[in-house]
Amino acid sequence: MFRTRTITARRRVYARRAAVFAGLSALVGTVVLSGPAAQAAPPTPPSAATARSYLSELTVKAEGSSDGYSRDLFPHWITQSGACNTREVVLKRDGTNVQQDSSCAAVSGSWYSPYDGATWTAASDVDIDHVVPLAEAWTSGASGWTTAERQSFANDLTHAQLIAVTDNVNQSKSDRDPAEWLPPSSGYHCMYARMWVQVKHVYDLTVDSAEKSALSGILSGC
């Protein structure tokens, strides 16, 4: 049987999600151009123990229909500041010695892809992966969101939802969940599962039974 939440628990979840969307919306168009050096990684997700706890709180439910889904319903790579959009911000954040031109395009630097262990020196070889894919989010609850909420999700720089990786590895992932696809580098599976669970938990997205089983198996070995 699917887990049933109490009304009080649901209120806490909805309040959390509303706070997340409000905070992310406030960040749109407000990226600080000066400050700490690039961290060369997404924000750190919670520990494996915390992720296991979060996973136990997620609603288990068969994936919904993909009817009506379009990437256009998740406006992404929006302008963050000046000429810089979300992709360019992540390229700067996740890269090393990244230099950008006056239009904010990365013209030099290097990018290490933790999914497969490859390093690239051309931004064109790097994709920005949505850890929880947009289509996966749609069938897990985002179909009921507003466009503004989906925009915040698709441009989330606060949580471990966006990461620079090898382009063809990202393309091979497509919209598959961890029961169907994991990064080629097995040493990154624990981090990937922690990231995935954090995003699903923050946005109150559901998991299907195979997805939960796969994540539970990974996290139990972390």
Side-chain angles (χ1 to χ4, degrees):
M1 292 180 64
F2 296 156
R3 179 170 56 85
T4 301
R5 298 182 176 183
T6 65
I7 293 175
T8 300
R10 286 185 183 277
R11 286 174 177 166
R12 287 199 298 267
V13 167
Y14 295 152
R16 182 183 70 230
R17 194 174 78 188
V20 168
F21 285 131
L24 292 175
S25 295
L27 288 174
V28 174
T30 314
V31 164
V32 178
L33 297 182
S34 62
Q39 62 190 78
T44 303
S47 67
T50 299
R52 287 193 290 270
S53 176
Y54 284 176
L55 181 60
S56 71
E57 297 173 5
L58 297 179
T59 297
V60 179
K61 184 179 180 181
E63 287 190 355
S65 172
S66 60
D67 289 351
Y69 168 72
S70 168
R71 287 178 66 84
D72 293 340
L73 295 172
F74 292 80
H76 54 289
W77 307 167
I78 61 173
T79 299
Q80 294 288 349
S81 181
C84 300
N85 66 26
T86 307
R87 171 182 163 83
E88 290 149 353
V89 170
V90 177
L91 284 173
K92 178 72 171 179
R93 183 197 71 188
D94 289 5
T96 301
N97 298 322
V98 177
Q99 299 298 315
Q100 297 170 307
D101 65 18
S102 59
S103 65
C104 207
V107 294
S108 64
S110 65
W111 292 269
Y112 173 76
S113 168
Y115 282 8
D116 59 336
T119 298
W120 304 96
T121 56
S124 59
D125 290 322
V126 178
D127 275 358
I128 307 304
D129 181 38
H130 288 96
V131 173
V132 174
L134 305 182
E136 166 71 20
W138 178 268
T139 60
S140 302
S143 61
W145 296 352
T146 65
T147 299
E149 288 173 334
R150 288 191 287 264
Q151 175 175 293
S152 293
F153 175 83
N155 296 275
D156 187 352
L157 296 169
T158 302
H159 305 97
Q161 164 66 340
L162 300 174
I163 183 171
V165 297
T166 302
D167 56 359
N168 60 4
V169 172
N170 180 50
Q171 291 153 23
S172 73
K173 170 185 172 179
S174 186
D175 59 0
R176 293 184 286 177
D177 69 33
E180 304 161 319
W181 185 93
L182 288 167
S185 293
S186 59
Y188 200 70
H189 289 182
C190 182
M191 177 66 76
Y192 185 76
R194 289 163 54 198
M195 294 163 74
W196 184 283
V197 171
Q198 180 197 35
V199 174
K200 285 249 169 160
H201 186 264
V202 164
Y203 289 97
D204 192 32
L205 294 170
T206 62
V207 290
D208 62 45
S209 57
E211 175 188 354
K212 182 174 183 178
S213 177
L215 290 164
S216 179
I218 297 167
L219 292 171
S220 67
C222 292

